[in-house]
């Protein structure tokens, strides 16, 4: 699951108008748009941006369609931040026709709207806000999303393994600055790589936990986002999030108390994402292995949200 950054592809998309309706056609709602923009912003503000702001945008210059205004070959972080700030100033994306929104952005910065299109079109995850009657109440946040970040081939491999070994649920915590890449590249095994942020005390693999408090500890709950303007959703400048994943319960899954390590990336699939504002967290005592919790998760999944 990768984003094609070949210039021929980017120019073809621009010329054919493939991305022109990305904003209008996005079916996930304003809160998801806000979340994608906030995650992009967090990655861009990170001191680790040269590593984690991946993929870097490929955006055609609206004034010169034969050149790229933003390119992975020439990473202009300052100019990108200026354009993203302009996107953040126009936070009323759920009101009025999108043609008017584009006009507002164009007046501030001609690269703002093309960047917004890229943020939406480059997202390779299926992310949808859960309606209130389908939310997991024990997570104590209204910002709950269905999150399917696996490719169809990975999901097929996962379902095959599930039939053989079964599965369960566990949390995965990661700083909000990492989610720009996760939503486009999926969860990866970052142990012993330059992308590793925390230690790998229990070996190489994707780290998970059935206990919410442990994953909250990895979510960077004190990360600050100084967002210009007044956002319509996710109004806090302090956001953190954790994912609820389904994991294959084969012998490969290593359990060290409440810290689990899965060395097989295809054996972990995201199912939900929970976002918290103002540094607050939900119930830190959630245990996905408790029967009542496990049952509620299965009920939401079975409600044909996929």
């Amino acid at each position: 699951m990768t984003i094609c950054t070949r210039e021929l592809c980017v120019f073809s998309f621009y010329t054919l108008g493939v991305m022109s309706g990305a904003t209008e056609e996005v079916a996930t709602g304003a809160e998801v748009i806000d979340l994608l923009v906030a995650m992009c912003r967090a990655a861009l503000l990170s001191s680790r941006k040269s590593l984690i702001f991946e993929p870097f945008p490929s955006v055609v210059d609206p004034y010169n369609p034969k050149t790229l205004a933003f390119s992975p070959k020439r990473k202009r972080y300052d100019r990108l931040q200026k354009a993203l700030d302009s996107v953040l100033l126009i936070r009323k994306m759920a009101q009025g026709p999108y043609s008017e929104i584009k006009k507002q952005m164009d007046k501030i910065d001609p690269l703002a709207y093309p960047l917004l299109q890229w943020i939406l079109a480059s997202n390779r995850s299926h992310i949808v806000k859960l309606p209130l009657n389908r939310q997991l109440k024990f997570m104590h946040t209204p910002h709950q999303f269905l999150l399917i970040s696996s490719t169809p081939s990975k999901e097929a491999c996962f379902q095959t393994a599930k039939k053989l070994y079964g599965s369960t649920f566990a949390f995965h915590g990661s700083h909000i600055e990492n989610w720009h890449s996760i939503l486009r590249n999926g969860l990866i095994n970052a142990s012993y790589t330059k992308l590793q942020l925390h230690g790998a005390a229990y070996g190489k693999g994707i780290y998970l936990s059935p206990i919410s408090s442990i994953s909250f500890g990895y979510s960077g709950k004190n990360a600050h986002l100084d967002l210009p303007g007044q956002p319509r959703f996710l109004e806090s400048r302090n956001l953190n999030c954790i994912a609820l994943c389904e994991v294959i319960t084969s012998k490969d899954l290593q359990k060290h108390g409440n810290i689990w390590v899965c060395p097989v990336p295809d054996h972990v699939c995201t199912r939900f994402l929970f976002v918290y504002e103002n540094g607050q967290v939900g119930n830190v005592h959630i245990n996905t292995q408790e029967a009542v919790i496990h049952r509620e998760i299965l009920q939401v999944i079975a409600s044909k949200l996929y």
Side-chain angles (χ1 to χ4, degrees):
M1 177 163 48
T2 58
I3 311 303
C4 183
T5 58
R6 292 176 56 196
E7 292 187 5
L8 179 60
C9 296
V10 176
F11 288 124
S12 295
F13 265 54
Y14 181 85
T15 303
L16 296 173
V18 174
M19 293 175 64
S20 62
T23 311
E24 293 88 340
E25 295 173 3
V26 68
T28 48
E31 189 165 350
V32 171
I33 296 174
D34 252 1
L35 182 61
L36 293 174
V37 171
M39 288 173 169
C40 182
R41 171 79 172 179
L44 185 58
L45 291 178
S46 171
S47 60
R48 302 167 58 238
K49 61 178 175 286
S50 62
L51 295 176
I52 64 171
F53 196 83
E54 177 63 36
F56 191 89
S58 294
V59 175
V60 173
D61 188 335
Y63 289 131
N64 186 358
K66 294 183 179 181
T67 64
L68 291 178
F70 295 126
S71 170
K73 296 178 181 178
R74 190 176 65 260
K75 297 181 178 181
R76 303 164 60 196
Y77 291 109
D78 290 345
R79 183 64 183 91
L80 184 63
Q81 184 168 324
K82 180 177 181 295
L84 191 58
D85 286 345
S86 299
V87 172
L88 290 162
L89 288 173
I90 309 297
R91 303 295 286 187
K92 298 179 179 179
M93 287 179 280
Q95 299 178 6
Y98 286 99
S99 58
E100 291 301 316
I101 295 172
K102 182 180 185 303
K103 289 179 182 177
Q104 293 178 52
M105 288 191 180
D106 286 346
K107 288 180 181 179
I108 299 175
D109 188 333
L111 294 183
Y113 193 76
L115 177 59
L116 175 60
Q117 289 182 307
W118 180 87
I119 291 171
L120 301 181
S122 65
N123 172 38
R124 290 297 182 265
S125 297
H126 179 62
I127 178 168
V128 180
K129 175 73 184 293
L130 291 174
L132 287 175
N133 63 341
R134 302 289 179 86
Q135 292 190 356
L136 294 168
K137 302 298 188 294
F138 57 77
M139 292 308 296
H140 295 177
T141 175
H143 304 302
Q144 301 192 19
F145 304 87
L146 174 73
L147 175 59
I148 309 300
S149 60
S150 303
T151 61
S153 59
K154 177 178 177 178
E155 189 67 44
C157 290
F158 182 91
Q159 294 301 330
T160 297
K162 182 177 176 178
K163 290 178 182 178
L164 290 173
Y165 307 109
S167 69
T168 189
F169 297 94
F171 295 104
H172 175 77
S174 188
H175 283 243
I176 192 170
E177 66 186 34
N178 294 325
W179 284 95
H180 169 80
S181 178
I182 293 174
L183 292 183
R184 290 159 177 81
N185 300 305
L187 276 179
I188 62 172
N189 182 347
S191 300
Y192 307 129
T193 73
K194 60 184 180 181
L195 295 175
Q196 179 178 308
L197 183 58
H198 302 285
Y202 296 102
K204 187 176 181 180
I206 296 174
Y207 278 63
L208 306 149
S209 178
I211 307 299
S212 58
S213 61
I214 293 176
S215 292
F216 275 128
Y218 288 95
S219 68
K221 64 181 180 179
N222 294 319
H224 290 277
L225 285 177
D226 189 12
L227 302 177
Q230 294 297 318
R232 183 171 175 79
F233 295 102
L234 304 175
E235 296 182 358
S236 170
R237 59 189 292 268
N238 192 350
L239 302 175
N240 64 292
C241 53
I242 62 171
L244 181 61
C245 303
E246 189 172 3
V247 56
I248 299 298
T249 50
S250 72
K251 62 180 180 180
D252 292 313
L253 181 63
Q254 303 160 19
K255 296 182 178 180
H256 306 273
N258 289 322
I259 296 179
W260 297 358
V261 183
C262 184
V264 185
D266 282 354
H267 283 189
V268 180
C269 288
T270 57
R271 296 302 183 221
F272 301 98
L273 182 72
F274 307 98
V275 182
Y276 296 84
E277 301 183 90
N278 300 315
Q280 299 172 346
V281 296
N283 186 342
V284 297
H285 302 295
I286 296 299
N287 184 344
T288 61
Q289 303 308 290
E290 292 181 3
V292 63
I293 298 296
H294 191 87
R295 184 166 56 249
E296 188 169 340
I297 295 170
L298 290 176
Q299 287 175 347
V300 172
I301 289 178
S303 59
K304 298 187 183 302
L305 285 170
Y306 289 61

